[in-house]
Amino acid sequence: MEKREDLETILPYLPLKIQDSSLSWPSPHLVEVLEAMTKGPSHSRVDSGQTLSDFISDMRQALSLTCHLSSSSLEGYALYFDERMSKEESIRWFNEVLPAMACLLLRFPYLLELHYLNSDNLINGTKTGLRVLGPKKDGIVFLSQELIGALLSCSFFCLFPVDNRGSNHLPIINFDKLFGSLINTGRNEHQENKIKCITHYFQRLYLCIPPGFVSFERKILTLEKDSSGLEAFPDEGFWRNSTVKLCPVEVHTSGLIEDQSVEALEVDFANKNLGGGALRKGCVQEEIRFMINPELIVGMLFLPTMEVNEAIEVVGAERFSHYTGYASSFRFFGDYIDTKEADVFGRRTTRIVAIDALRHPGVSQYKPESLLRETNKALCGFLHICKNQSKALCIDHEDGVGVATGNWECGAYGGDPELKSLLQWLAVSQARRPFMSYYTFGFEALHNLNQVTELVVSKGWTVGYLWKNLVKYSNQRLKNKKRREPKLGLFDWLISIKSS
């Protein structure tokens, strides 16, 4: 174990140590605590939220974790399990689920060693072991769902060291702030329901540990010019001169991306830090997806901030929860049985791609550099590496896999939904995806998206021709802003020029 480069990159962020060439827990006392917990509350005396918060502090002290948990975090654990969870659920949690999580944690060193042994032979010539997938270098990590369960159990008990995570641009990974958000914020029901999704996930693990795998990939458009075209970061001339045909568009005025009926790349409207506010107070599209598919959270352990030319793709994350609502109205709505088929690697055929947009761009979103930035970011996410980078070993076949997307950062971040929908269409088409399924989420501004896309396709426009018109419109918007003239929406503008 000592000589593994992949392990060396991630070990500072794990609560384990290498001893006698093997991974182990560094504290005999911690092992004793976990062993007692596996036997239930009659042995461990962990039978309430208050005793659980005390044991979390004890476990962290046994690991000599120097960053102390806030009092609100510990109070949050006590509040949730003693007051927000029903008595029946609480009894089941402490008698059945918590002991099962302790068993997973005792197996964690073994599971991680097994992971590294298997990672060497999973795909010939491709590294798949758990490691920090840093910026400016593509790579993929395969994790078993059982190992993910152990890692998320570490998050629940706040066992990951966090001292150097921020300085290395890694998101938070422990659940302390998630529970702490319950304190001093009034009755924060959407936060409670986020936690319900997490506790439900662990309840499902107690019943049956899934046998599959999940892969996490950092995708990169290289910034250097390259003869293969799409391997290089496309410039304005690339888009202007593209002769690629625009793909078909399916517009859905109702429904959700995660309920897409045919196999597609499902877009996560991401923060540049994967997961965004999932483990804090956030509760919009990305955070909700991380709650109903909690295995996504594990990517926050080893995937630092995305650069402008990077995206993150996750294949195989299982969905465990139904939900209703959005933001403050978000509610856990019961168990969800994921029926997606598995591929040859044991991954469910759920493909989620995280792409981050410009934050609060205002009128600057119409500037050429902003158009280029957003379109290239989407292209990076939507490209199928096997089709566009011949040097890469193809481990995935995505024939017939389109893109399911929607209003990419058009809410709180202030993106123009009409512009963003068409920039994504350019990227989907340029990536040679067979279709784009667009979910409008009831945005009134997109009521005629179907009319516009059908009109453009009927005229035989290419990616390049649509790009030139988007640039022309954007230039007019910038000029009108200076003159304080009334703005004309992109769709109405396109319809007017097509009519003329």
Side-chain angles (χ1 to χ4, degrees):
M1 285 290 127
E2 294 102 326
K3 296 181 180 180
R4 295 197 64 102
E5 291 182 9
D6 44 12
L7 176 58
E8 286 180 3
T9 69
I10 194 67
L11 193 58
Y13 305 106
L14 297 177
L16 304 180
K17 69 173 183 179
I18 297 176
Q19 185 173 7
D20 298 327
S21 299
S22 296
L23 289 166
S24 65
W25 288 104
S27 165
H29 175 64
L30 176 63
V31 173
E32 291 173 7
V33 169
L34 291 173
E35 287 175 342
M37 205 177 290
T38 64
K39 299 173 184 176
S42 60
H43 285 77
S44 67
R45 301 191 179 180
V46 181
D47 58 1
S48 68
Q50 185 58 59
T51 54
L52 172 60
S53 66
D54 292 340
F55 265 69
I56 288 173
S57 294
D58 186 30
M59 294 164 74
R60 287 176 55 82
Q61 189 172 358
L63 291 171
S64 302
L65 296 177
T66 56
C67 183
H68 296 291
L69 298 186
S70 67
S71 58
S72 62
S73 297
L74 296 172
E75 290 170 15
Y77 279 92
L79 174 67
Y80 182 80
F81 291 103
D82 291 343
E83 298 184 31
R84 301 292 188 251
M85 184 178 267
S86 70
K87 186 67 174 176
E88 182 181 347
E89 281 184 299
S90 180
I91 291 172
R92 183 184 174 204
W93 178 265
F94 290 106
N95 281 276
E96 298 174 348
V97 181
L98 210 61
M101 293 169 68
C103 284
L104 260 182
L105 287 176
L106 286 173
R107 283 171 49 79
F108 177 35
Y110 164 76
L111 291 172
L112 192 55
E113 285 196 4
L114 184 64
H115 159 77
Y116 282 116
L117 289 173
N118 292 336
S119 69
D120 291 336
N121 303 309
L122 185 63
I123 305 168
N124 291 334
T126 301
K127 294 180 179 179
T128 63
L130 177 60
R131 62 199 185 278
V132 174
L133 283 179
K136 300 180 175 64
K137 188 175 183 181
D138 54 5
I140 192 166
V141 166
F142 274 75
L143 301 175
S144 72
Q145 289 182 275
E146 185 175 19
L147 177 55
I148 289 174
L151 290 164
L152 289 180
S153 295
C154 287
S155 291
F156 177 85
F157 289 106
C158 304
L159 302 182
F160 288 113
V162 299
D163 290 346
N164 297 316
R165 291 187 62 82
S167 60
N168 289 293
H169 308 290
L170 286 162
I172 65 170
I173 187 61
N174 290 326
F175 290 175
D176 53 313
K177 289 181 172 57
L178 180 62
F179 280 90
S181 66
L182 298 178
I183 305 299
N184 300 325
T185 55
R187 186 64 187 265
N188 210 335
E189 289 193 54
H190 66 282
Q191 288 296 106
E192 290 179 30
N193 281 269
K194 285 171 63 179
I195 296 173
K196 281 184 181 179
C197 292
I198 298 295
T199 55
H200 176 69
Y201 163 74
F202 287 119
Q203 289 166 356
R204 284 279 302 273
L205 284 193
Y206 158 71
L207 295 174
C208 179
I209 293 178
F213 288 81
V214 182
S215 67
F216 300 79
E217 180 182 7
R218 184 177 288 271
K219 302 169 72 172
I220 294 180
L221 282 178
T222 57
L223 295 172
E224 297 80 17
K225 292 289 183 181
D226 191 288
S227 59
S228 61
L230 281 177
E231 288 188 49
F233 198 65
D235 58 13
E236 197 275 337
F238 171 91
W239 289 104
R240 185 177 63 251
N241 297 320
S242 173
T243 58
V244 173
K245 289 184 178 180
L246 292 162
C247 71
V249 178
E250 303 164 3
V251 178
H252 304 269
T253 56
S254 61
L256 300 166
I257 291 171
E258 59 267 26
D259 295 329
Q260 171 77 16
S261 58
V262 297
E263 190 175 354
L265 196 60
E266 300 169 12
V267 179
D268 164 18
F269 308 145
N271 187 290
K272 66 179 181 179
N273 297 307
L274 185 68
L279 301 183
R280 297 181 187 267
K281 296 181 181 180
C283 197
V284 287
Q285 195 254 11
E286 178 173 37
E287 290 86 357
I288 289 173
R289 196 66 199 264
F290 274 57
M291 295 301 106
I292 65 174
N293 297 65
E295 292 165 332
L296 293 169
I297 296 170
V298 167
M300 298 167 70
L301 173 65
F302 56 88
L303 285 160
T305 302
M306 285 183 277
E307 301 282 352
V308 67
N309 61 323
E310 298 177 350
I312 292 169
E313 184 172 341
V314 183
V315 180
E318 184 173 352
R319 181 174 171 183
F320 291 87
S321 297
H322 277 290
Y323 76 96
T324 61
Y326 189 80
S328 62
S329 66
F330 172 78
R331 299 293 183 267
F332 169 75
F333 201 62
D335 188 36
Y336 180 94
I337 303 300
D338 196 329
T339 58
K340 291 281 184 73
E341 295 180 355
D343 66 10
V344 294
F345 297 106
R347 303 174 300 176
R348 292 179 183 274
T349 51
T350 298
R351 308 170 188 275
I352 299 170
V353 63
I355 52 173
D356 60 296
L358 293 168
R359 302 187 65 173
H360 311 294
V363 72
S364 68
Q365 65 187 298
Y366 303 104
K367 293 181 178 180
E369 59 268 27
S370 296
L371 299 178
L372 194 60
R373 188 268 183 205
E374 300 294 75
T375 313
N376 283 341
K377 171 66 74 166
L379 178 65
C380 181
F382 302 159
L383 272 177
H384 181 202
I385 194 170
C386 297
K387 288 186 177 180
N388 296 291
Q389 290 184 284
S390 58
K391 67 182 181 182
L393 175 67
C394 188
I395 64 170
D396 216 348
H397 298 281
E398 298 183 7
D399 294 334
V401 177
V403 174
T405 188
N407 310 322
W408 181 30
E409 305 299 10
C410 296
Y413 281 3
D416 179 341
E418 298 181 21
L419 180 63
K420 282 293 185 69
S421 63
L422 299 191
L423 291 178
Q424 289 185 87
W425 189 21
L426 292 174
V428 174
S429 302
Q430 189 65 51
R432 271 75 169 184
R433 295 286 178 176
F435 64 87
M436 179 175 77
S437 286
Y438 196 97
Y439 292 82
T440 66
F441 305 109
F443 264 47
E444 178 60 27
L446 297 174
H447 72 278
N448 57 354
L449 172 60
N450 200 50
Q451 177 190 354
V452 169
T453 55
E454 286 182 354
L455 182 63
V456 168
V457 169
S458 71
K459 298 297 182 180
W461 283 17
T462 62
V463 165
Y465 199 73
L466 178 56
W467 169 266
K468 284 184 279 192
N469 277 283
L470 295 184
V471 171
K472 185 176 180 181
Y473 168 80
S474 297
N475 287 335
Q476 288 190 17
R477 282 295 298 266
L478 292 171
K479 291 177 182 177
N480 290 349
K481 178 69 175 177
K482 292 179 181 178
R483 298 171 184 167
R484 298 185 178 180
E485 295 179 5
K487 65 181 181 182
L488 181 66
L490 172 59
F491 288 177
D492 289 338
W493 184 83
L494 284 173
I495 291 171
S496 70
I497 66 168
K498 293 304 294 181
S499 300
S500 61

